[in-house]
PDB file of all heavy atoms in Angstrom:
ATOM      1  N   ARG F 244    -179.895 -98.492  98.391  1.00  0.00           N
ATOM      2  CA  ARG F 244    -179.359 -97.360  99.155  1.00  0.00           C
ATOM      3  C   ARG F 244    -180.330 -97.065 100.303  1.00  0.00           C
ATOM      4  O   ARG F 244    -181.513 -97.204 100.168  1.00  0.00           O
ATOM      5  CB  ARG F 244    -179.152 -96.107  98.296  1.00  0.00           C
ATOM      6  CG  ARG F 244    -178.171 -96.131  97.221  1.00  0.00           C
ATOM      7  CD  ARG F 244    -177.893 -94.810  96.606  1.00  0.00           C
ATOM      8  NE  ARG F 244    -179.048 -93.890  96.583  1.00  0.00           N
ATOM      9  CZ  ARG F 244    -179.840 -93.664  95.592  1.00  0.00           C
ATOM     10  NH1 ARG F 244    -179.609 -94.228  94.416  1.00  0.00           N
ATOM     11  NH2 ARG F 244    -180.819 -92.786  95.695  1.00  0.00           N
ATOM     12  N   TRP F 245    -179.710 -96.538 101.372  1.00  0.00           N
ATOM     13  CA  TRP F 245    -180.490 -96.207 102.542  1.00  0.00           C
ATOM     14  C   TRP F 245    -181.671 -95.404 102.162  1.00  0.00           C
ATOM     15  O   TRP F 245    -181.624 -94.516 101.273  1.00  0.00           O
ATOM     16  CB  TRP F 245    -179.648 -95.370 103.483  1.00  0.00           C
ATOM     17  CG  TRP F 245    -180.396 -95.024 104.756  1.00  0.00           C
ATOM     18  CD1 TRP F 245    -180.383 -95.747 105.939  1.00  0.00           C
ATOM     19  CD2 TRP F 245    -181.214 -93.885 104.999  1.00  0.00           C
ATOM     20  NE1 TRP F 245    -181.208 -95.140 106.834  1.00  0.00           N
ATOM     21  CE2 TRP F 245    -181.726 -93.989 106.280  1.00  0.00           C
ATOM     22  CE3 TRP F 245    -181.611 -92.831 104.186  1.00  0.00           C
ATOM     23  CZ2 TRP F 245    -182.626 -93.043 106.776  1.00  0.00           C
ATOM     24  CZ3 TRP F 245    -182.498 -91.892 104.675  1.00  0.00           C
ATOM     25  CH2 TRP F 245    -182.994 -92.027 105.988  1.00  0.00           C
ATOM     26  N   PRO F 246    -182.838 -95.683 102.714  1.00  0.00           N
ATOM     27  CA  PRO F 246    -183.149 -96.668 103.797  1.00  0.00           C
ATOM     28  C   PRO F 246    -183.411 -98.064 103.321  1.00  0.00           C
ATOM     29  O   PRO F 246    -183.779 -98.935 104.107  1.00  0.00           O
ATOM     30  CB  PRO F 246    -184.323 -96.024 104.496  1.00  0.00           C
ATOM     31  CG  PRO F 246    -185.099 -95.400 103.365  1.00  0.00           C
ATOM     32  CD  PRO F 246    -184.070 -94.893 102.404  1.00  0.00           C
ATOM     33  N   MET F 247    -183.293 -98.314 102.036  1.00  0.00           N
ATOM     34  CA  MET F 247    -183.552 -99.640 101.486  1.00  0.00           C
ATOM     35  C   MET F 247    -182.412-100.603 101.901  1.00  0.00           C
ATOM     36  O   MET F 247    -181.273-100.224 101.636  1.00  0.00           O
ATOM     37  CB  MET F 247    -183.723 -99.575  99.928  1.00  0.00           C
ATOM     38  CG  MET F 247    -183.908-100.901  99.262  1.00  0.00           C
ATOM     39  SD  MET F 247    -185.398-101.717  99.799  1.00  0.00           S
ATOM     40  CE  MET F 247    -185.196-103.366  99.177  1.00  0.00           C
ATOM     41  N   SER F 248    -182.752-101.763 102.362  1.00  0.00           N
ATOM     42  CA  SER F 248    -181.764-102.783 102.626  1.00  0.00           C
ATOM     43  C   SER F 248    -182.422-104.105 102.439  1.00  0.00           C
ATOM     44  O   SER F 248    -183.711-104.208 102.477  1.00  0.00           O
ATOM     45  CB  SER F 248    -181.182-102.659 104.051  1.00  0.00           C
ATOM     46  OG  SER F 248    -182.138-103.006 105.000  1.00  0.00           O
ATOM     47  N   TRP F 249    -181.684-105.158 102.252  1.00  0.00           N
ATOM     48  CA  TRP F 249    -182.216-106.502 101.973  1.00  0.00           C
ATOM     49  C   TRP F 249    -183.143-106.923 103.129  1.00  0.00           C
ATOM     50  O   TRP F 249    -184.245-107.365 102.864  1.00  0.00           O
ATOM     51  CB  TRP F 249    -181.076-107.508 101.869  1.00  0.00           C
ATOM     52  CG  TRP F 249    -180.263-107.325 100.645  1.00  0.00           C
ATOM     53  CD1 TRP F 249    -178.993-106.859 100.658  1.00  0.00           C
ATOM     54  CD2 TRP F 249    -180.530-107.656  99.325  1.00  0.00           C
ATOM     55  NE1 TRP F 249    -178.496-106.845  99.376  1.00  0.00           N
ATOM     56  CE2 TRP F 249    -179.467-107.299  98.492  1.00  0.00           C
ATOM     57  CE3 TRP F 249    -181.704-108.202  98.680  1.00  0.00           C
ATOM     58  CZ2 TRP F 249    -179.455-107.494  97.146  1.00  0.00           C
ATOM     59  CZ3 TRP F 249    -181.665-108.363  97.333  1.00  0.00           C
ATOM     60  CH2 TRP F 249    -180.599-108.046  96.545  1.00  0.00           C
ATOM     61  N   ARG F 250    -182.718-106.801 104.323  1.00  0.00           N
ATOM     62  CA  ARG F 250    -183.471-107.327 105.469  1.00  0.00           C
ATOM     63  C   ARG F 250    -184.624-106.437 105.920  1.00  0.00           C
ATOM     64  O   ARG F 250    -185.521-106.916 106.655  1.00  0.00           O
ATOM     65  CB  ARG F 250    -182.538-107.683 106.627  1.00  0.00           C
ATOM     66  CG  ARG F 250    -181.583-108.796 106.284  1.00  0.00           C
ATOM     67  CD  ARG F 250    -180.631-109.089 107.376  1.00  0.00           C
ATOM     68  NE  ARG F 250    -181.193-109.343 108.637  1.00  0.00           N
ATOM     69  CZ  ARG F 250    -181.729-110.525 109.034  1.00  0.00           C
ATOM     70  NH1 ARG F 250    -181.834-111.497 108.255  1.00  0.00           N
ATOM     71  NH2 ARG F 250    -182.284-110.593 110.252  1.00  0.00           N
ATOM     72  N   ALA F 251    -184.614-105.158 105.507  1.00  0.00           N
ATOM     73  CA  ALA F 251    -185.695-104.226 105.877  1.00  0.00           C
ATOM     74  C   ALA F 251    -187.015-104.470 105.057  1.00  0.00           C
ATOM     75  O   ALA F 251    -188.070-103.919 105.366  1.00  0.00           O
ATOM     76  CB  ALA F 251    -185.297-102.774 105.737  1.00  0.00           C
ATOM     77  N   CYS F 252    -186.866-105.249 103.983  1.00  0.00           N
ATOM     78  CA  CYS F 252    -188.028-105.556 103.123  1.00  0.00           C
ATOM     79  C   CYS F 252    -188.205-107.077 103.047  1.00  0.00           C
ATOM     80  O   CYS F 252    -187.247-107.815 102.788  1.00  0.00           O
ATOM     81  CB  CYS F 252    -187.655-105.002 101.693  1.00  0.00           C
ATOM     82  SG  CYS F 252    -188.823-105.433 100.421  1.00  0.00           S
ATOM     83  N   GLU F 253    -189.389-107.519 103.386  1.00  0.00           N
ATOM     84  CA  GLU F 253    -189.708-108.962 103.333  1.00  0.00           C
ATOM     85  C   GLU F 253    -190.912-109.174 102.474  1.00  0.00           C
ATOM     86  O   GLU F 253    -191.876-108.369 102.460  1.00  0.00           O
ATOM     87  CB  GLU F 253    -190.002-109.471 104.748  1.00  0.00           C
ATOM     88  CG  GLU F 253    -188.794-109.516 105.635  1.00  0.00           C
ATOM     89  CD  GLU F 253    -189.128-110.393 106.879  1.00  0.00           C
ATOM     90  OE1 GLU F 253    -189.613-109.759 107.845  1.00  0.00           O
ATOM     91  OE2 GLU F 253    -188.787-111.563 106.871  1.00  0.00           O
ATOM     92  N   VAL F 254    -190.887-110.285 101.760  1.00  0.00           N
ATOM     93  CA  VAL F 254    -191.987-110.730 100.960  1.00  0.00           C
ATOM     94  C   VAL F 254    -192.811-111.698 101.872  1.00  0.00           C
ATOM     95  O   VAL F 254    -192.212-112.691 102.304  1.00  0.00           O
ATOM     96  CB  VAL F 254    -191.574-111.385  99.629  1.00  0.00           C
ATOM     97  CG1 VAL F 254    -192.793-111.812  98.863  1.00  0.00           C
ATOM     98  CG2 VAL F 254    -190.773-110.433  98.807  1.00  0.00           C
ATOM     99  N   ILE F 255    -194.044-111.307 102.118  1.00  0.00           N
ATOM    100  CA  ILE F 255    -194.875-112.163 103.009  1.00  0.00           C
ATOM    101  C   ILE F 255    -196.034-112.760 102.166  1.00  0.00           C
ATOM    102  O   ILE F 255    -196.238-112.379 101.074  1.00  0.00           O
ATOM    103  CB  ILE F 255    -195.406-111.412 104.214  1.00  0.00           C
ATOM    104  CG1 ILE F 255    -196.185-110.159 103.668  1.00  0.00           C
ATOM    105  CG2 ILE F 255    -194.222-110.933 105.159  1.00  0.00           C
ATOM    106  CD1 ILE F 255    -196.940-109.434 104.731  1.00  0.00           C
ATOM    107  N   LYS F 256    -196.743-113.751 102.778  1.00  0.00           N
ATOM    108  CA  LYS F 256    -197.834-114.283 102.088  1.00  0.00           C
ATOM    109  C   LYS F 256    -199.108-114.177 102.931  1.00  0.00           C
ATOM    110  O   LYS F 256    -199.091-114.553 104.078  1.00  0.00           O
ATOM    111  CB  LYS F 256    -197.515-115.798 101.831  1.00  0.00           C
ATOM    112  CG  LYS F 256    -198.487-116.539 100.962  1.00  0.00           C
ATOM    113  CD  LYS F 256    -198.082-117.879 100.451  1.00  0.00           C
ATOM    114  CE  LYS F 256    -197.900-118.815 101.592  1.00  0.00           C
ATOM    115  NZ  LYS F 256    -197.640-120.185 101.102  1.00  0.00           N
ATOM    116  N   ALA F 257    -200.165-113.622 102.283  1.00  0.00           N
ATOM    117  CA  ALA F 257    -201.421-113.518 102.998  1.00  0.00           C
ATOM    118  C   ALA F 257    -202.041-114.915 103.116  1.00  0.00           C
ATOM    119  O   ALA F 257    -201.623-115.847 102.388  1.00  0.00           O
ATOM    120  CB  ALA F 257    -202.330-112.602 102.147  1.00  0.00           C
ATOM    121  N   PRO F 258    -203.043-115.123 103.993  1.00  0.00           N
ATOM    122  CA  PRO F 258    -203.668-116.370 104.122  1.00  0.00           C
ATOM    123  C   PRO F 258    -204.241-116.912 102.830  1.00  0.00           C
ATOM    124  O   PRO F 258    -204.278-118.113 102.532  1.00  0.00           O
ATOM    125  CB  PRO F 258    -204.797-116.127 105.125  1.00  0.00           C
ATOM    126  CG  PRO F 258    -204.289-115.005 105.960  1.00  0.00           C
ATOM    127  CD  PRO F 258    -203.468-114.119 104.994  1.00  0.00           C
ATOM    128  N   SER F 259    -204.592-115.935 101.881  1.00  0.00           N
ATOM    129  CA  SER F 259    -205.085-116.391 100.616  1.00  0.00           C
ATOM    130  C   SER F 259    -204.015-116.903  99.653  1.00  0.00           C
ATOM    131  O   SER F 259    -204.263-117.495  98.605  1.00  0.00           O
ATOM    132  CB  SER F 259    -205.771-115.152  99.909  1.00  0.00           C
ATOM    133  OG  SER F 259    -204.788-114.184  99.631  1.00  0.00           O
ATOM    134  N   GLY F 260    -202.730-116.626 100.018  1.00  0.00           N
ATOM    135  CA  GLY F 260    -201.597-117.030  99.204  1.00  0.00           C
ATOM    136  C   GLY F 260    -201.016-115.852  98.405  1.00  0.00           C
ATOM    137  O   GLY F 260    -199.978-115.963  97.824  1.00  0.00           O
ATOM    138  N   LYS F 261    -201.709-114.711  98.408  1.00  0.00           N
ATOM    139  CA  LYS F 261    -201.259-113.527  97.687  1.00  0.00           C
ATOM    140  C   LYS F 261    -200.004-112.985  98.376  1.00  0.00           C
ATOM    141  O   LYS F 261    -199.971-112.765  99.583  1.00  0.00           O
ATOM    142  CB  LYS F 261    -202.358-112.481  97.724  1.00  0.00           C
ATOM    143  CG  LYS F 261    -201.957-111.158  97.037  1.00  0.00           C
ATOM    144  CD  LYS F 261    -203.069-110.125  97.182  1.00  0.00           C
ATOM    145  CE  LYS F 261    -202.560-108.816  96.592  1.00  0.00           C
ATOM    146  NZ  LYS F 261    -203.486-107.751  96.759  1.00  0.00           N
ATOM    147  N   PRO F 262    -198.931-112.725  97.565  1.00  0.00           N
ATOM    148  CA  PRO F 262    -197.705-112.206  98.201  1.00  0.00           C
ATOM    149  C   PRO F 262    -197.889-110.726  98.456  1.00  0.00           C
ATOM    150  O   PRO F 262    -198.690-110.028  97.842  1.00  0.00           O
ATOM    151  CB  PRO F 262    -196.643-112.407  97.078  1.00  0.00           C
ATOM    152  CG  PRO F 262    -197.396-112.442  95.816  1.00  0.00           C
ATOM    153  CD  PRO F 262    -198.734-113.027  96.170  1.00  0.00           C
ATOM    154  N   GLY F 263    -197.167-110.230  99.473  1.00  0.00           N
ATOM    155  CA  GLY F 263    -197.222-108.856  99.862  1.00  0.00           C
ATOM    156  C   GLY F 263    -195.867-108.392 100.338  1.00  0.00           C
ATOM    157  O   GLY F 263    -194.936-109.255 100.453  1.00  0.00           O
ATOM    158  N   ILE F 264    -195.678-107.170 100.614  1.00  0.00           N
ATOM    159  CA  ILE F 264    -194.431-106.580 101.119  1.00  0.00           C
ATOM    160  C   ILE F 264    -194.632-106.117 102.532  1.00  0.00           C
ATOM    161  O   ILE F 264    -195.563-105.385 102.870  1.00  0.00           O
ATOM    162  CB  ILE F 264    -194.006-105.392 100.242  1.00  0.00           C
ATOM    163  CG1 ILE F 264    -193.768-105.794  98.821  1.00  0.00           C
ATOM    164  CG2 ILE F 264    -192.751-104.655 100.797  1.00  0.00           C
ATOM    165  CD1 ILE F 264    -192.494-106.449  98.527  1.00  0.00           C
ATOM    166  N   ALA F 265    -193.680-106.524 103.449  1.00  0.00           N
ATOM    167  CA  ALA F 265    -193.680-106.010 104.827  1.00  0.00           C
ATOM    168  C   ALA F 265    -192.356-105.283 104.999  1.00  0.00           C
ATOM    169  O   ALA F 265    -191.245-105.783 104.566  1.00  0.00           O
ATOM    170  CB  ALA F 265    -193.750-107.183 105.783  1.00  0.00           C
ATOM    171  N   LEU F 266    -192.408-104.114 105.514  1.00  0.00           N
ATOM    172  CA  LEU F 266    -191.191-103.277 105.685  1.00  0.00           C
ATOM    173  C   LEU F 266    -190.914-103.082 107.188  1.00  0.00           C
ATOM    174  O   LEU F 266    -191.860-103.079 107.984  1.00  0.00           O
ATOM    175  CB  LEU F 266    -191.368-101.941 104.954  1.00  0.00           C
ATOM    176  CG  LEU F 266    -191.721-102.030 103.493  1.00  0.00           C
ATOM    177  CD1 LEU F 266    -192.008-100.632 102.961  1.00  0.00           C
ATOM    178  CD2 LEU F 266    -190.610-102.687 102.727  1.00  0.00           C
TER     179      LEU F 266
END
Side-chain angles (χ1 to χ4, degrees):
R244 291 191 330 259
W245 182 92
M247 177 62 194
S248 70
W249 293 106
R250 293 179 52 82
C252 173
E253 290 191 276
V254 179
I255 57 170
K256 187 168 65 169
S259 66
K261 178 183 175 186
I264 298 281
L266 303 175

